[in-house]
Amino acid sequence: MVKGGRRLEGEVTVSGSKNSSLPILAATILTQGLNTITSVPDLLDIQTMLRMLRSLNIRAEYSQPHTVRVWVNHYIKHVAPYELVTKMRASFFIIGPLLAKTGFAKIPLPGGCAIGSRPVDIHLKGLQALGADVELEHGFVKVQARKLKGDRILLDFPSVGATETIMMAATLAEGETLIENAAREPEITDLADYLNKCGAQISGAGSEQIKILGVKELKASDHNVIPDRIEAGTLMVAAAISRGNILIKNVNVAHVDSTILKLQQSGVTVEVKGDQVRVKASHRPKAVDIKTQPYPGFPTDMQPQLAALMSLAEGTSVISEGVFENRFMHVHELKRMGADIRLEGQSAIVNGVAKLQGAPVKSRDLRAGAALMLAGLGAEGETLIEDIDRFIERGYEKLDKKLIALGAEIKELRNIAEYEDEDNA
Ligand code: EPU
């Protein structure tokens, strides 16, 4: 339950990136020995990935807050449990490392999810190009290869997950792999940095062309995960929507450029100093148009939060979704709070209103849930958000506690219920 109308003030520290930690934990499969990964956020999705590693006979545990140790020894199992892949689609990321390390993997095919159909065809085409046989059998993907061989792979779309899958598999392939039209997200660069510490030879991560020279083996390594750019952006919008003044610490400013730009265009004050960002707002924001795109474009993972802010803007903004086909679930809920939004194909036309009203709403995916929490901060009265444990808490470390420390009035009304079969990570 969020009671709106409080100006948020104070300091808050951003946690490590969920979407960096997940593939890095999957990549530990490629190594031998003890990996120590730090700045890992304490989230249900991370626990799911640790369970996945354990199911493969790998020792993986949180040893201290935000530190995960993964011990990889000789015997690794090849089959991923259905139950874990249906909980979190990012579990599918183990396919590349498992194939490269053991020559065989059998992984349940992830289904669609709340934000789109999200196929894995680009991942599989990439593995095929490296010489793997790919078969679909009874809902599982079976991939096998005696020895992967490097090749030039042109992606149909710069998919984050597919770039990660191919990059991980290619580290142990014979010869050189060139990924063209690669995703450029900071999480790709973080994964490449970790793999290079393990002895991989990857260059060009962060650009459209990534070159991987295969090596014989990878050793375990230590790695500190980058700050979560989407959490940073979400906190910036919290300052803007509550007309507050927040100092956000542990931000890689280059990673949040597009969000900062949009906030500045809408009249929000953003001051950057090193890895700290102060966000201040005292008026209604001005409407700005947004189009989500692969990095360095505006992130789809910030679209729902900006839609919440634009609901209260002066003027009309057009928000176009260019990455997922069904990422407007939050719009129906924002309308229940009094927002004036019309959906036209892949765009939302948002006519800003002067006030939102608290209402009972449903969080249907992670970022949509965060957007509703933000809308609740800027609304009059009480907003009751259902299912926060199934969505918001999967991807944001203690978001409610962080907002409360900044002066928000938020109460959790029940204990975390069963972690169910929904998935949007
Ligand atoms: N796509 C295909 N075929 C594929 C792979 C992707 O058609 O084989 C399509 C997808 O259906 C989608 C688009 O390509 O329409 C982009 O998907 P991408 O593969 O780039 O996304 P992802 O790897 O599945 C990661 C994040 C998402 C984030 C997207 C885009 C993780 C664990 N997840 O997903 O994060 O939205 O990149 O930046 O890294 C979130 O954190 O809330 C979240 C959904």
Side-chain angles (χ1 to χ4, degrees):
M1 193 277 291
V2 182
K3 198 161 183 184
R6 295 287 196 98
R7 270 192 99 219
L8 300 194
E9 278 178 333
E11 296 181 2
V12 61
T13 301
V14 171
S15 301
S17 161
K18 163 182 86 79
N19 288 348
S20 241
S21 300
L22 289 170
I24 288 171
L25 290 174
T28 59
I29 296 173
L30 291 161
T31 68
Q32 196 71 37
L34 169 61
N35 293 274
T36 304
I37 315 294
T38 46
S39 297
V40 179
D42 190 359
L43 299 170
L44 286 172
D45 276 5
I46 299 293
Q47 295 293 356
T48 304
M49 184 55 88
L50 298 185
R51 281 173 62 198
M52 175 61 85
L53 294 175
R54 289 198 281 268
S55 78
L56 301 173
N57 205 28
I58 292 171
R59 250 177 91 191
E61 58 197 40
Y62 259 110
S63 60
Q64 312 153 31
H66 302 138
T67 300
V68 170
R69 288 188 204 279
V70 185
W71 290 263
V72 190
N73 291 311
H74 289 287
Y75 180 67
I76 297 177
K77 289 189 187 162
H78 307 265
V79 184
Y82 172 72
E83 171 242 340
L84 294 179
V85 177
T86 52
K87 265 197 208 317
M88 178 183 77
R89 63 184 298 110
S91 331
F92 188 77
F93 292 172
I94 63 166
I95 193 166
L98 209 50
L99 170 68
K101 184 79 180 281
T102 71
F104 178 69
K106 187 174 165 191
I107 318 282
L109 194 62
C113 72
I115 58 179
S117 61
R118 298 179 80 181
V120 286
D121 55 317
I122 309 176
H123 301 239
L124 300 181
K125 273 191 222 159
L127 296 179
Q128 264 168 332
L130 295 177
D133 283 331
V134 177
E135 273 178 75
L136 295 183
E137 205 178 66
H138 300 292
F140 281 76
V141 188
K142 259 171 61 182
V143 286
Q144 48 194 324
R146 220 180 259 155
K147 184 73 198 156
L148 294 174
K149 288 210 170 71
D151 202 346
R152 174 177 174 265
I153 301 168
L154 174 63
L155 304 189
D156 292 340
F157 180 88
S159 152
V160 175
T163 304
E164 290 166 344
T165 291
I166 300 165
M167 191 165 83
M168 290 190 273
T171 54
L172 293 180
E174 225 170 74
E176 183 180 301
T177 301
L178 208 56
I179 310 176
E180 313 248 28
N181 196 25
R184 290 182 279 165
E185 271 67 4
E187 294 76 23
I188 307 277
T189 312
D190 203 22
L191 174 63
D193 288 346
Y194 161 70
L195 288 168
N196 282 339
K197 283 184 202 164
C198 299
Q201 290 197 28
I202 303 173
S203 55
S207 78
E208 281 160 25
Q209 193 187 61
I210 303 178
K211 191 156 93 180
I212 305 124
L213 259 179
V215 295
K216 286 222 157 48
E217 56 183 22
L218 294 179
K219 58 181 190 321
S221 182
D222 295 351
H223 185 73
N224 189 43
V225 170
I226 56 171
D228 196 305
R229 64 193 166 100
I230 306 300
E231 186 196 343
T234 303
L235 291 167
M236 288 182 206
V237 178
I241 208 162
S242 72
R243 316 236 167 120
N245 181 346
I246 306 182
L247 183 69
I248 306 168
K249 296 178 165 178
N250 192 32
V251 182
N252 186 323
V253 177
H255 297 170
V256 287
D257 252 1
S258 57
T259 303
I260 291 182
L261 193 69
K262 284 295 159 192
L263 289 176
Q264 285 173 332
Q265 285 171 359
S266 75
V268 175
T269 304
V270 183
E271 294 160 2
V272 173
K273 202 169 168 200
D275 68 350
Q276 303 191 351
V277 180
R278 180 172 292 283
V279 182
K280 286 190 270 194
S282 47
H283 305 287
R284 265 177 89 182
K286 287 191 283 255
V288 288
D289 293 341
I290 291 152
K291 178 161 175 51
T292 70
Q293 286 171 327
Y295 190 85
F298 188 86
T300 173
D301 290 344
M302 280 302 298
Q303 181 262 105
Q305 299 87 316
L306 260 289
L309 183 67
M310 288 302 109
S311 298
L312 281 167
E314 258 176 272
T316 299
S317 68
V318 179
I319 302 183
S320 310
E321 175 57 51
V323 178
F324 289 107
E325 73 264 29
N326 189 27
R327 206 171 203 177
F328 283 121
M329 306 291 269
H330 47 287
V331 163
H332 310 292
E333 305 300 310
L334 288 172
K335 282 168 80 166
R336 303 193 65 253
M337 298 178 70
D340 177 0
I341 310 179
R342 194 174 76 246
L343 285 179
E344 274 186 18
Q346 284 297 71
S347 297
I349 320 295
V350 188
N351 291 311
V353 294
K355 283 179 185 162
L356 289 177
Q357 296 155 10
V361 288
K362 240 183 189 317
S363 143
R364 291 167 196 270
D365 84 74
L366 164 56
R367 309 303 171 187
L372 294 172
M373 202 174 245
L374 296 173
L377 295 174
E380 276 181 353
E382 292 177 0
T383 298
L384 193 69
I385 310 169
E386 260 186 62
D387 288 346
I388 59 163
D389 51 326
R390 278 166 65 196
F391 296 109
I392 305 179
E393 291 174 355
R394 279 186 54 182
Y396 286 97
E397 192 179 46
K398 301 189 174 69
L399 181 62
D400 52 347
K401 308 242 168 10
K402 289 185 181 182
L403 294 172
I404 291 167
L406 294 167
E409 213 177 318
I410 300 177
K411 261 192 239 153
E412 194 171 327
L413 297 181
R414 61 189 164 82
N415 291 328
I416 292 186
E418 270 284 283
Y419 175 31
E420 290 179 73
D421 289 355
E422 290 287 343
D423 126 28
N424 55 66

